């Protein structure tokens, strides 16, 4: 016999309100101490040395790429950039735990996932410069990368819209019985959007194989999490939707890796969504349009940048196991800097996309009115070239 | 010279079909033909559809293909768009397009612009459908016409059927189209029956997107309309026939792309134009049609263009006020006469 809501209800004559906060905060899973020591030394046997080294190399690559692109924006060479400084472990640790066929719906602070899958530094640069080699054909602002081949959907700015979209894709994967899941990333601020609520709720109702990865980095532009929500962070919201969840130390690449690996297995095998809250800190400004020293102390930023750097933490782990040394480090960083300089120079020297790219892809097949507009535009630009930028090819 | 497709009448047979059944059969056939097509919305499954458009579909295709959603237009639209990114072909039903405003970010920013923003990497083969515009006695938040808003957006295709033939042919075309399509139905028309030929009833029947239909040929004045107003325009034409005015009625069928060629061709023949719509006047469909004709056929106009639209107010509830707020057949008749210089002034 069904009671209210079709479940067994346990009645009580003790009037009891669920408290607004629990005495115990949701525990945070970590494998490494802040100094890179394995908390459980015996777990070294479960670690793959080559994988750990590759993860580290990619984290360094991400850090170097970000630093150089940021400087390029400051110098006026690109118009805009968003760094991922401080969140390298989330980016690479999660990416390494996924399969290449898992479909990624990112926010905009997860280029490391694309990088792990094979997007080259040159491709990142081409997109930032919006040149003719940009896979995005110059349609979008910098950092709005995407690649069908790598199953990473083109970045879209509105916050959290990717959350229900990922659930929709996960539903498709389930209907097609694919051995794959959808993965969506968002920040602490994104959990305030209505789309987060709808996405979580739907995923649970539909039994969608989707990972919700929240980068709780403490700041949504100038809004600290204390002003974003009053809950014990984000992981706690899972149960309210019937979604299994975990909180993980987002600056511990190994913890992120294992948490995501396990979550993925559950999502795909049990057809359920999983929420992962990765605690971290946004070391950089929100974007190049922001100066975060205006709303947070420089000391706080420096503390996290120097004393809680996820890249340095994994390095300490690798070096204490003699899987890495200073010489490897110097060589890697030097090589990356040289590569980046060449990549920037290359991207800068390329032509911009031709005029036809203005009118294509509005629809699957270009409509007649746009064909006519393109011809008119070509004619006018051809007739008055001095009135138009010189670097826009007419084809 | 008329194009053959606009002259052919598909109405040779005696069989009749309501718009409701036309839509239902179109969805049924497309879902049978392509396993990637699925329907979702509030009440579309167990309830058989808020307006019974999806009657029988849950029973036939099962809960995997006909999804009853929780109440979150923004949520299920986002989910639908995401599944389209993946490669499914969702039909998202809004109980009315008024409620779709809660999802409009996903319709525009996630669906309409994505093929362009992703440089052709992500296509969005989704259909958004539901009743649009005024019904009867449902007041301001249930009566808005969204043709002009969606019609202005590059990346979307926007269709609005009138007859059962329109409903079948255009919905099938919309479902098969790789681009996002906004499909604006009309609640009052759901129950109206129209003659349909064997050709229309065939599962392969489809109408081209972007082509208007000349519902009634005429020589003296061109009247454009879509959805329910096509019926009003045809009735106005019958009244005017008795007074010796021969009206050509164009059923737009497609708001975007707008069939400017057919409209201009008609005006070059008749030299007079009256546009009819239920929506608000400012920045409306008539405004766009008028400009198109002024740009392309100015020298052919013998009179200023007349615009018949809904009143520039949120829809009132009281029956008498509601009647004043939407175009009536008499308004169309008077507008045509003004265009033909038959009446001195006034509406």
């Amino acid at each position: 016999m069904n009671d209210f809501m079709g479940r067994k209800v346990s009645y009580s004559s003790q009037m009891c309100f669920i408290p607004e906060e629990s005495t115990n905060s949701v525990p945070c899973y970590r494998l490494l101490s802040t100094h890179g020591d394995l908390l459980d030394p015996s777990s070294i046997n479960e670690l793959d040395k080559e994988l750990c080294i590759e993860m580290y190399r990619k984290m360094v690559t991400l850090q170097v790429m970000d630093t150089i692109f940021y400087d390029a924006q400051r110098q006026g060479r690109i118009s805009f950039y968003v760094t991922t400084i401080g969140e390298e472990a989330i980016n690479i640790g999660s990416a390494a735990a996924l399969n290449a066929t898992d479909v990624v719906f990112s926010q905009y602070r997860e280029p490391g996932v694309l990088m792990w899958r094979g997007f080259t530094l040159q491709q990142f640069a081409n997109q930032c410069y919006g040149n003719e080699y940009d896979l995005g054909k110059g349609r979008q602002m910098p950092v709005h990368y995407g690649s069908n081949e790598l199953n990473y959907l083109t970045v879209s700015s509105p916050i959290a819209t990717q959350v229900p979209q990922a659930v929709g894709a996960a539903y498709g994967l389930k209907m097609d019985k694919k051995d794959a899941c959808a993965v969506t990333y968002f920040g602490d601020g994104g959990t305030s959007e209505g789309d987060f609520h709808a996405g979580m709720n739907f995923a649970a109702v539909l039994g969608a194989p989707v990972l919700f990865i929240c980068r709780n980095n403490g700041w949504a532009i100038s809004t600290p999490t204390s002003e974003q929500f009053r809950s014990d962070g984000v992981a706690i919201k899972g149960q309210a939707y019937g979604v299994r969840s975990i909180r993980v130390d987002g600056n511990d690449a190994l913890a992120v890796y294992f948490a995501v690996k396990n979550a993925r297995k559950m999502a795909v095998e049990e057809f359920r969504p999983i929420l992962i809250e990765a605690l971290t800190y946004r070391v950089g400004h929100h974007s190049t349009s922001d100066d975060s020293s205006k709303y947070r102390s420089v000391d706080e930023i420096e503390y996290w940048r120097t004393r809680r750097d996820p890249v340095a933490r994994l390095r300490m782990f690798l070096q204490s196991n003699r899987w890495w040394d200073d010489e490897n480090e110097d060589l890697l960083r030097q090589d990356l800097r040289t590569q980046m300089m060449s990549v920037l120079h290359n991207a800068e020297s390329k032509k911009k996309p031709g005029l036809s790219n203005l009118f294509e892809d509005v629809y699957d097949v270009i409509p007649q009115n746009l064909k006519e507009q393109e011809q008119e535009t070509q004619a006018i630009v051809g007739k008055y070239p001095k009135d138009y930028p010189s670097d826009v090819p007419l084809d | 010279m008329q194009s053959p497709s606009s002259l052919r009448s598909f109405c040779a047979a005696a069989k009749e079909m309501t718009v409701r059944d036309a839509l239902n059969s179109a969805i049924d056939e497309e879902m049978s033909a392509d396993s990637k097509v699925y329907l979702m919305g509030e009440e579309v499954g167990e309830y058989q559809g808020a307006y019974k458009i999806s009657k029988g579909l849950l029973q036939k295709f099962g809960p995997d293909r006909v999804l009853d959603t929780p109440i979150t237009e923004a949520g299920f639209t986002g989910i639908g768009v995401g599944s389209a990114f993946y490669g499914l072909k969702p039909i998202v039903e809004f109980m009315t397009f008024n409620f779709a405003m809660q999802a409009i970010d996903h319709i525009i920013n996630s669906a309409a612009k994505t093929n362009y923003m992703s440089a052709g990497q992500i296509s969005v083969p989704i259909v958004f459908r539901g009743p649009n515009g005024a019904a009867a006695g449902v007041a301001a938040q249930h009566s808005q016409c969204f043709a002009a808003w969606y019609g202005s957006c590059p990346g979307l295709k926007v269709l609005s059927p009138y007859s059962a033939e329109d409903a079948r042919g255009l919905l099938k075309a919309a479902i098969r189209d790789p681009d996002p399509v906004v499909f604006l139905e009309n609640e009052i028309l759901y129950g109206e029956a129209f003659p349909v030929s064997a050709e229309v009833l065939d599962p392969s029947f489809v109408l081209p997107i972007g082509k208007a239909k000349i519902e009634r040929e005429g020589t003296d004045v061109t009247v454009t309309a879509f959805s329910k107003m096509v019926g009003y325009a045809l009735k106005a034409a019958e009244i005017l026939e008795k007074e010796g005015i021969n009206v050509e009625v164009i059923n737009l069928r497609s708001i975007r792309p707008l069939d400017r060629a057919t409209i201009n061709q008609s005006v070059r023949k008749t030299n007079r134009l009256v546009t009819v719509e239920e929506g608000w006047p400012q920045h409306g469909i008539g405004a766009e049609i008028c400009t198109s004709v002024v740009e392309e056929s100015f020298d052919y106009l013998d009179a200023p263009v007349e615009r018949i639209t809904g009143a520039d107010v949120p829809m009132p509830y009281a029956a008498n006020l509601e009647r004043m707020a939407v175009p009536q057949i008499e308004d169309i008749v008077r507008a045509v006469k003004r265009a033909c210089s038959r009446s001195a002034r006034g509406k």
Side-chain angles (χ1 to χ4, degrees):
Chain A
M1 180 178 74
N2 280 334
D3 212 335
F4 294 118
M5 309 189 301
R7 296 175 182 234
K8 187 119 179 57
V9 179
S10 81
Y11 294 94
S12 163
S13 45
Q14 232 4 41
M15 188 189 313
C16 204
F17 284 77
I18 304 174
E20 68 279 12
E21 66 179 15
S22 166
T23 36
N24 303 312
S25 173
V26 172
C28 183
Y29 174 69
R30 64 158 48 158
L31 289 172
L32 294 174
S33 73
T34 46
H35 300 291
D37 303 312
L38 267 180
L39 292 169
D40 172 12
S42 71
S43 60
I44 188 96
N45 301 318
E46 287 158 51
L47 298 175
D48 182 305
K49 176 182 170 189
E50 295 313 316
L51 180 63
C52 291
I53 293 173
E54 188 52 28
M55 278 170 54
Y56 179 70
R57 293 178 67 93
K58 283 287 182 296
M59 285 168 68
V60 174
T61 308
L62 178 55
Q63 197 181 57
V64 171
M65 177 181 88
D66 267 359
T67 309
I68 293 181
F69 274 136
Y70 183 86
D71 289 343
Q73 194 278 341
R74 271 13 224 155
Q75 293 160 21
R77 293 165 82 178
I78 55 178
S79 67
F80 176 79
Y81 194 71
V82 168
T83 64
T84 304
I85 308 286
E87 303 184 47
E88 296 88 350
I90 296 177
N91 269 240
I92 302 299
S94 64
L98 299 172
N99 285 12
T101 48
D102 294 333
V103 189
V104 176
F105 288 78
S106 60
Q107 183 65 78
Y108 45 61
R109 218 180 289 281
E110 304 88 5
V113 179
L114 197 49
M115 180 187 278
W116 179 267
R117 289 182 169 196
F119 210 64
T120 64
L121 294 175
Q122 189 65 66
Q123 284 177 307
F124 281 111
N126 290 339
Q127 196 280 329
C128 287
Y129 277 91
N131 65 31
E132 62 175 337
Y133 291 95
D134 169 22
L135 282 183
K137 298 185 196 168
R139 300 279 168 68
Q140 294 230 52
M141 294 168 67
V143 312
H144 288 68
Y145 329 103
S147 162
N148 264 4
E149 196 194 320
L150 302 178
N151 286 313
Y152 187 103
L153 268 84
T154 307
V155 173
S156 161
S157 307
I159 300 293
T161 52
Q162 71 278 13
V163 177
Q165 288 166 7
V167 177
Y171 186 73
L173 289 167
K174 182 177 175 181
M175 278 178 76
D176 282 353
K177 301 185 169 43
K178 291 262 160 74
D179 174 20
C181 64
V183 185
T184 180
Y185 295 83
F186 45 91
D188 38 284
T191 66
S192 292
E193 284 278 3
D195 273 345
F196 169 75
H197 166 76
M200 289 279 286
N201 191 36
F202 255 102
V205 170
L206 292 174
V210 57
L211 303 187
F212 296 108
I213 302 182
C214 176
R215 294 176 293 94
N216 183 344
N217 64 20
W219 294 93
I221 310 189
S222 68
T223 307
T225 46
S226 56
E227 285 172 34
Q228 191 69 246
F229 39 66
R230 285 296 155 88
S231 53
D232 172 18
V234 175
I236 193 130
K237 298 185 198 232
Q239 196 174 65
Y241 293 102
V243 174
R244 193 172 293 171
S245 58
I246 190 170
R247 166 177 283 166
V248 66
D249 181 341
N251 286 8
D252 177 347
L254 300 183
V256 172
Y257 172 80
F258 282 106
V260 172
K261 199 152 180 70
N262 276 286
R264 188 201 173 273
K265 188 166 193 294
M266 286 188 273
V268 173
E269 290 177 8
E270 298 171 42
F271 294 112
R272 60 168 66 251
I274 311 279
L275 171 65
I276 298 166
E277 177 187 17
L279 299 183
T280 183
Y281 186 85
R282 193 199 76 210
V283 172
H285 306 302
H286 167 70
S287 74
T288 47
S289 308
D290 174 46
D291 173 8
S292 60
S293 65
K294 294 240 160 34
Y295 50 79
R296 56 183 187 174
S297 81
V298 174
D299 289 342
E300 177 188 303
I301 305 171
E302 277 312 290
Y303 166 75
W304 282 90
R305 195 178 68 78
T306 56
R307 307 278 293 279
R308 302 289 290 272
D309 176 15
V311 181
R313 187 167 169 189
L314 190 62
R315 179 182 174 183
M316 284 188 271
F317 165 73
L318 292 178
Q319 297 209 192
S320 70
N321 281 291
R322 297 185 214 230
W323 291 353
W324 190 258
D325 60 37
D326 289 350
E327 205 192 318
N328 296 141
E329 183 78 13
D330 293 339
L331 273 169
L332 175 63
R333 286 191 182 261
Q334 188 49 49
D335 180 53
L336 285 170
R337 243 180 291 276
T338 312
Q339 269 190 62
M340 278 303 296
M341 287 307 147
S342 142
V343 141
L344 275 185
H345 176 74
N346 247 319
E348 225 159 32
S349 64
K350 295 287 178 288
K351 287 192 300 181
K352 296 296 187 223
L355 186 62
S356 61
N357 287 289
L358 181 62
F359 300 99
E360 278 165 5
D361 302 321
V362 180
Y363 297 98
D364 189 56
V365 173
I366 185 169
Q368 190 55 32
N369 69 318
L370 288 185
K371 273 198 218 162
E372 287 166 16
Q373 286 178 33
E374 184 183 348
Q375 282 157 6
E376 280 173 33
T377 313
Q378 274 169 340
I380 292 181
V381 175
K383 196 168 169 191
Y384 304 106
K386 292 208 174 62
D387 291 348
Y388 294 93
S390 57
D391 63 348
V392 182
L394 281 184
D395 53 349
Chain B
M1 192 170 66
Q2 300 283 339
S3 68
S5 63
S6 63
L7 278 176
R8 259 165 73 197
S9 168
F10 289 114
C11 305
K15 181 140 201 302
E16 285 210 328
M17 188 181 229
T18 61
V19 170
R20 171 178 290 111
D21 288 342
L23 295 168
N24 181 277
S25 62
I27 298 172
D28 191 332
E29 286 161 21
E30 294 305 301
M31 283 180 72
S32 296
D34 185 348
S35 60
K36 294 202 173 307
V37 178
Y38 75 98
L39 175 67
M40 80 164 138
E42 294 154 7
E43 312 301 323
V44 298
E46 294 289 349
Y47 195 78
Q48 310 292 299
Y51 297 101
K52 305 293 180 263
I53 306 300
S54 54
K55 186 168 175 196
L57 297 181
L58 173 65
Q59 285 67 31
K60 182 168 177 180
F61 295 101
D64 277 355
R65 308 260 323 266
V66 180
L67 273 66
D68 274 324
T69 65
I71 308 177
T72 162
E73 279 73 12
F76 65 71
T77 305
I79 283 165
V81 171
S83 75
F85 289 173
Y86 170 80
L88 296 183
K89 296 184 187 173
I91 303 169
V92 175
E93 175 173 310
F94 295 114
M95 208 176 281
T96 114
F97 267 94
N98 294 273
F99 303 158
M101 273 200 283
Q102 294 181 288
I104 205 164
D105 176 61
H106 276 297
I107 297 173
I108 308 298
N109 277 331
S110 299
K113 298 179 185 170
T114 290
N115 196 55
Y116 189 75
M117 290 200 313
S118 72
Q121 294 191 81
I122 305 173
S123 82
V124 196
I126 192 167
V127 175
F128 303 106
R129 50 161 290 274
N132 172 63
V138 289
Q141 294 172 337
H142 297 81
S143 306
Q144 189 173 333
C145 174
F146 291 87
W149 284 16
Y150 291 121
S152 74
C153 190
L156 285 181
K157 289 177 177 163
V158 182
L159 304 175
S160 192
Y162 160 61
S163 61
E165 175 186 317
D166 289 357
R168 267 185 64 78
L170 293 177
L171 186 53
K172 278 161 157 302
I175 294 168
R176 298 179 195 186
D177 199 288
D179 297 311
V181 181
V182 169
F183 195 82
L184 304 171
E185 299 160 7
N186 183 287
E187 193 201 313
I188 307 290
L189 286 177
Y190 283 152
E192 202 167 311
F194 293 84
V196 283
S197 69
E199 182 170 358
V200 170
L201 293 173
D202 192 272
S204 66
F205 176 67
V206 82
L207 284 172
I209 291 178
K211 287 294 304 165
K213 180 185 178 198
I214 312 256
E215 289 286 346
R216 182 190 202 281
E217 268 183 68
T219 51
D220 297 338
V221 65
T222 300
V223 175
T224 63
F226 62 96
S227 189
K228 194 168 107 206
M229 291 291 109
V230 174
Y232 280 35
L234 288 170
K235 293 212 173 68
E238 277 169 36
I239 293 169
L240 290 156
E241 187 71 59
K242 300 192 179 77
E243 303 191 32
I245 299 177
N246 192 245
V247 175
E248 176 149 293
V249 176
I250 299 182
N251 171 5
L252 294 177
R253 284 181 165 174
S254 182
I255 305 292
R256 176 180 264 265
L258 196 57
D259 190 352
R260 298 167 203 276
T262 297
I263 296 166
N264 277 280
Q265 201 173 42
S266 173
V267 173
R268 287 176 184 215
K269 180 178 73 168
T270 65
N271 311 121
R272 293 161 207 278
L273 174 64
V274 174
T275 69
V276 183
E277 67 200 285
E278 273 194 311
W280 294 322
Q282 191 166 338
H283 311 302
I285 304 299
E288 177 62 33
I289 293 175
C290 174
T291 304
S292 174
V293 165
V294 163
E295 280 173 351
E296 295 183 45
S297 310
F298 181 69
D299 294 330
Y300 294 81
L301 285 169
D302 284 348
V305 175
E306 293 275 344
R307 249 195 311 195
I308 294 295
T309 72
D312 198 18
V313 300
M315 186 68 69
Y317 167 73
N320 60 330
L321 296 180
E322 186 181 45
R323 199 183 183 285
M324 300 293 298
V326 286
Q328 302 300 330
I329 296 168
E330 301 76 52
D331 296 312
I332 304 174
V333 169
R334 280 191 291 266
V336 168
K337 286 182 178 176
R338 280 195 305 276
C340 296
S341 313
R342 294 294 185 92
S343 149
R345 75 174 62 78
K347 290 188 190 280

